[in-house]
Amino acid sequence: MVFSERKPVPMPIYLILVLVACVVYVTPIPGAPNIRIDAVALLVLYINFYRPVAWSLTLGFCTGLLQDLVAFAPLGQHALGLVLICFFIPWIRDSLRMLSPAKQLPLIIGILMFLKFLSSWVTALNLGILPSLDAVWAVLLTSIFWPVIVTRLESVPKIRRTLIQP
């Protein structure tokens, strides 16, 4: 694996970002109250792709549990999906990071569709509510923000290491 030379996101900043992402997740969109932007999933995907940490499964699980608590979802619904995503991301991280954010979009849409399918499946098992086409619109709306997040957060200059020779 090839890791970037960027420092990982500090824990207090990550917690603030997760709380903001949870607020974005529970805030309804005007005119479309059933569509939610899954900013928590985008944050976890960004951390796993561009700022990998050694404890990514714990990161996905704890973040998913917090999202479950904030959204009043069955406990473990989002945690299960984010842990599975954090488990499979390291296998495709290096090949995906070579692509531009626009070319990464089909895979991001697929990952978000998987998360939405898993979430809808758990909801259908617990409550008997079947998903509608709003789930697809939510995924498409959420995936639009991926290139924006990546270009904005990756535009900061990288650390350049120089060799000091005596």
Side-chain angles (χ1 to χ4, degrees):
M1 271 185 236
V2 178
F3 294 112
S4 68
E5 295 190 8
R6 292 178 182 265
K7 292 182 179 179
V9 177
M11 186 57 78
I13 293 176
Y14 180 73
L15 290 175
I16 291 170
L17 288 173
V18 167
L19 289 176
V20 168
C22 284
V23 168
V24 168
Y25 180 72
V26 297
T27 305
I29 298 173
N34 295 333
I35 296 176
R36 306 274 186 224
I37 297 173
D38 199 355
V40 177
L42 286 180
L43 179 64
V44 170
L45 283 171
Y46 173 76
I47 294 293
N48 280 317
F49 277 124
Y50 289 99
R51 306 285 177 105
V53 292
W55 40 274
S56 64
L57 294 177
T58 306
L59 168 101
F61 183 72
C62 293
T63 305
L65 283 181
L66 182 64
Q67 185 178 7
D68 289 334
L69 290 174
V70 169
F72 297 118
L75 200 58
Q77 175 179 346
H78 294 100
L80 173 66
L82 291 178
V83 165
L84 287 173
I85 295 302
C86 291
F87 180 74
F88 288 113
I89 290 298
W91 292 339
I92 59 173
R93 177 186 301 131
D94 292 336
S95 59
L96 189 71
R97 285 176 53 185
M98 291 191 303
L99 301 174
S100 68
K103 290 182 180 177
Q104 294 172 356
L105 209 52
L107 184 65
I108 297 301
I109 290 172
I111 290 171
L112 291 174
M113 284 296 274
F114 172 74
L115 284 174
K116 189 57 79 172
F117 168 75
L118 198 60
S119 175
S120 299
W121 180 64
V122 171
T123 303
L125 286 177
N126 284 334
L127 304 174
I129 301 172
L130 296 176
S132 64
L133 284 178
D134 290 341
V136 175
W137 290 115
V139 167
L140 293 176
L141 185 62
T142 301
S143 64
I144 289 172
F145 292 104
W146 177 255
V148 175
I149 290 172
V150 171
T151 54
R152 177 71 181 136
L153 294 177
E154 290 298 306
S155 65
V156 180
K158 293 184 178 179
I159 299 171
R160 303 281 184 212
R161 297 189 188 262
T162 58
L163 294 173
I164 302 173
Q165 296 184 7

